[in-house]
Amino acid sequence: MPIFRLFYFAIIVLAVSGIASHVYARDSVGLVLSGGGARGFAHVAVLEALEANRVPIDYIAGTSMGAVVGALYASGLSASQVREKLLAVDWNAALRDVTDRNERSFRSKSFEGRNFLGLDLGVALDQLKLPLAVLRGQKLALVLNELTLEAAKVSDFDALSIPFRAIATDLATGDPVVLDRGSLATVLRASMAVPVLYSPVEIDGRLYVDGGVANNLPIDVARDMGADRVIVVDTSSQRYTTSELTSVVTVIDQLTNLLTLRNTEAQLKTLTDSDVLIEIFPEGIATADFNKVKDALAAGRKELVTAEDMFVSLSVDRSAYRDWQESHRTEQLPSTLAFVEVISDAPRTSSKTIANRLTVRPGQLLDNERLGSDLGKIYALETIDQVEVSVIERGNQVGLSLETREKAWGPDYLDMGFNLEDSLDGRASYNLSGVIRATNINPLGGEWRTELTLGDKTEVTSELFQPIDYGSNWFASAIAGFVSEDRALYQMGVVTSMYSTETREYGLDAGYTLDTRAEFRGGFRQSRVANKLILGASSLGAEIDDSRYFVRAGYDTLDSLGFPTKGVRLLGEYSIHDSTLGATKQYDDLTLDMLYPFYHSNRTTLVAQGYFGYLFETSVTDVTPRYSLGGFTRLSGYSPDEISGRHASLISVIGYQRLNEQVVFPIDQPLVLGFSLEAGNVFQSRDEIRWSNTLTGGSIFVGADTAIGPSYLSFGHTEGGHKSVTLSVGRPFAERN
């Protein structure tokens, strides 16, 4: 009997060993995910099918969007978690590199109405240095940092829940490069950096661009990792025919396809009968159609309806798959940070300046929202090109490390701007502008900014802006300027006189910036105005000292200055023209300006606009009329600045409807159709300020936020029979001269 029991026990042991051998000695499986832009969201459907059919994955290799999907799954997320994370991203904004306006400094927003184009050209005494691409990809970098924060602690990709590789292309040689370590977010950005469109990513002294150029379907990489069998998912689009090449989007997509086609075909030839090939080519979805990502996901699910038959040889039983899932759970982030450090490879941007912009502190919990906000503040310095985020361990302590790199084409920059306002009746205002910014001229982050405007006026303004400490919100400013222009004075719509006016001005300010939302400053301006009569009746003094003390406050949370949909902008200034400062006449004046989008639904927006200007001493003579109206939304029936006076008030409601969808590429801008209802006037004395003297009118317009700034073509009418047709380019309707 004991012998029988021993024999029976031996049979059981052998049987269990055989089952275990069958379960755990399975072929290792590699998942290969191609690039494909928006079509790459079909990869998520594949992950869902793998989980539904209990297919464990041992290795993942991906390119571009395939690398992003693969990295998230490799970091231990489930297919549903990957889907939720990716669909929560505004990919249009990320890939268009549109930084939220409220992530920019108030100082930067205050210059926006001058319509500089954002060329960001590096300038030196002997050369002009160009950026390496049209877009810098900073918004994408922020998104990728947020997506991969759970894996920020991992620097060796073999240590992820599933060993992972991303493919990039060495820009110097054109060779494919397998990236297996470093900052996961930075590596993914390198794998996605479409040449010319997005800046190359520097890693260890080498520049990398989109991996699809050299190896869009890295089957060989998965095999080199150790995969016995591979599941290959190809979302590369088929080539367009001549008749289908109808837009810049399809042309760019075609060029991408041609670059990847040859290396993809070479990889596909290495597949064997034991491998699985899944081809998903969603119709009507181009590389850049990130507004159709849900359609790409649906196309992938449709393609995988018969996935059970496809994966039957790779499936394991429920118990084995549950064990695999348990071993691939995401490691949670540390509850608190023991330290936060900034490593700056930025010779003119102090690490203290960067550190002082952080709200993530030792002893705090690390969360995506706070870190994303801090990274936005770093990029808002406008001198940093790249930030690598790592969660690192030192002994028993865990902390956050931020490594920053300056723009290679800095530290001094040139930009250009243009604006035009033409009433199409012979009266036009046009200006070409340029600005040179010398950044980080001292360790505290001082900036010297000089602007030149040529056109219907000549203007030179130079400002030295100086924070009082590293990253401080307190600042001081010294400014000097010169303006020369011809100025017409109107009465009842008729030019009564024309002056050639020259203004020379200098002054000192001090103030405080409240993060990105507000600024308070005060100071003085020594200002001398020379008026030379060209024609008409003389009404202004030949020489006027317009020196003054002032306080100014601004609050700006608008999402856009050209066509805002939310937020508010409030600007106010109070000036004291004091004889002790040298002013010819002593008086005070107040200016208030408001813009408030009070309704937004789907594509329709309603905006309230208000403007008020008031001189407190109306008996003073020889004071240049300080306020003017006329032009688009400013009593649209009049030409720009056609009526002027010592007081002014304006209220208007502006509505617009977006007519088309905006996609990724910045040339595809939304077109709007709109109207304005206006009431206001200028007044020569305070006794005239009453509702019965107010003029009413309005306009209808078409507009677009173009590459050269917001543009409008309006047809205006104002009480009294005043009509105009105005073309305005580069000057937001809320901005004044």
Side-chain angles (χ1 to χ4, degrees), residues 292-526:
K292 299 180 180 179
V293 294
K294 291 184 179 179
D295 296 335
L297 177 58
R301 288 170 173 168
K302 182 178 179 181
E303 186 70 30
L304 292 162
V305 170
T306 59
E308 186 174 351
D309 295 335
M310 190 181 302
F311 298 136
V312 64
S313 63
L314 298 170
S315 179
V316 299
D317 62 38
R318 296 185 185 278
S319 176
Y321 191 68
R322 186 167 52 252
D323 290 343
W324 178 84
Q325 287 180 311
E326 289 290 331
S327 66
H328 291 79
R329 286 182 174 175
T330 304
E331 182 179 356
Q332 296 298 314
L333 285 171
S335 56
T336 57
L337 296 171
F339 59 89
V340 177
E341 66 179 18
V342 176
I343 303 172
S344 178
D345 183 20
R348 291 182 62 169
T349 304
S350 169
S351 59
K352 292 182 181 179
T353 297
I354 296 172
N356 284 348
R357 299 182 83 87
L358 300 177
T359 60
V360 175
R361 296 280 190 267
Q364 293 180 343
L365 293 174
L366 176 60
D367 65 85
N368 270 334
E369 185 175 352
R370 183 184 292 272
L371 178 60
S373 175
D374 285 352
L375 293 177
K377 292 176 184 177
I378 294 173
Y379 284 128
L381 290 170
E382 299 182 353
T383 60
I384 301 299
D385 185 47
Q386 188 172 321
V387 182
E388 289 191 10
V389 179
S390 302
V391 178
I392 57 178
E393 291 181 309
R394 288 181 183 159
N396 295 326
Q397 294 185 328
V398 177
L400 181 69
S401 175
L402 304 177
E403 184 174 350
T404 63
R405 292 190 177 92
E406 274 182 338
K407 298 178 186 176
W409 58 97
D412 304 325
Y413 305 95
L414 170 68
D415 201 357
M416 305 292 290
F418 170 79
N419 65 64
L420 163 71
E421 194 158 9
D422 192 336
S423 59
L424 303 183
D425 62 357
R427 288 176 287 187
S429 169
Y430 55 92
N431 292 287
L432 178 67
S433 303
V435 58
I436 294 178
R437 294 186 302 118
T439 66
N440 292 323
I441 59 176
N442 54 46
L444 297 182
E447 178 180 282
W448 184 13
R449 179 188 179 96
T450 301
E451 295 184 23
L452 171 65
T453 299
L454 299 173
D456 68 322
K457 70 176 178 180
T458 300
E459 181 176 5
V460 181
T461 304
S462 191
E463 180 191 19
L464 179 63
F465 179 84
Q466 182 62 60
I468 66 170
D469 199 358
Y470 295 100
S472 173
N473 290 328
W474 291 97
F475 65 87
S477 172
I479 189 168
F482 169 82
V483 181
S484 176
E485 61 182 330
D486 291 341
R487 181 170 186 181
L489 299 183
Y490 295 83
Q491 186 172 357
M492 302 298 292
V494 177
V495 176
T496 58
S497 57
M498 180 76 72
Y499 282 89
S500 174
T501 299
E502 291 185 355
T503 303
R504 291 173 172 82
E505 187 171 77
Y506 68 88
L508 296 174
D509 302 349
Y512 180 83
T513 299
L514 181 62
D515 53 59
T516 65
R517 296 171 294 167
E519 181 186 274
F520 306 91
R521 70 163 66 198
F524 74 90
R525 292 288 183 271
Q526 288 281 356

Side-chain angles (χ1 to χ4, degrees), residues 34-37 39-43 216-217 233-237 278-282:
S34 76
R39 295 184 299 273
F41 277 74
H43 292 315
N216 193 52
L217 201 62
V233 188
D234 184 10
T235 61
S236 305
S237 173
I278 304 171
E279 294 179 314
I280 305 174
F281 303 136

Side-chain angles (χ1 to χ4, degrees), residues 110-232:
S110 68
F111 294 123
E112 185 178 354
R114 304 181 193 183
N115 194 45
F116 292 107
L117 303 180
L119 298 177
D120 202 32
L121 304 175
V123 62
L125 292 177
D126 58 346
Q127 63 177 322
L128 189 66
K129 298 180 286 185
L130 301 178
L132 299 178
V134 176
L135 302 174
R136 290 161 59 190
Q138 291 182 340
K139 192 67 173 181
L140 178 61
L142 290 174
V143 167
L144 293 175
N145 272 311
E146 183 174 354
L147 288 174
T148 60
L149 186 59
E150 287 85 354
K153 189 177 176 181
V154 178
S155 59
D156 181 349
F157 299 163
D158 281 337
L160 292 169
S161 296
I162 303 173
F164 170 74
R165 301 290 185 269
I167 311 303
T169 301
D170 189 319
L171 186 58
T173 65
D175 295 332
V177 178
V178 179
L179 300 174
D180 61 356
R181 63 188 63 249
S183 164
L184 186 57
T186 302
V187 163
L188 295 180
R189 183 181 165 199
S191 187
M192 296 182 71
V194 178
V196 181
L197 189 58
Y198 296 106
S199 294
V201 177
E202 181 182 348
I203 301 176
D204 296 331
R206 301 168 71 181
L207 292 178
Y208 296 108
V209 294
D210 195 322
V213 175
N215 190 357
N216 193 52
L217 201 62
I219 298 171
D220 56 339
V221 175
R223 295 199 194 280
D224 290 343
M225 293 175 73
D228 298 315
R229 303 173 65 182
V230 291
I231 300 172
V232 179

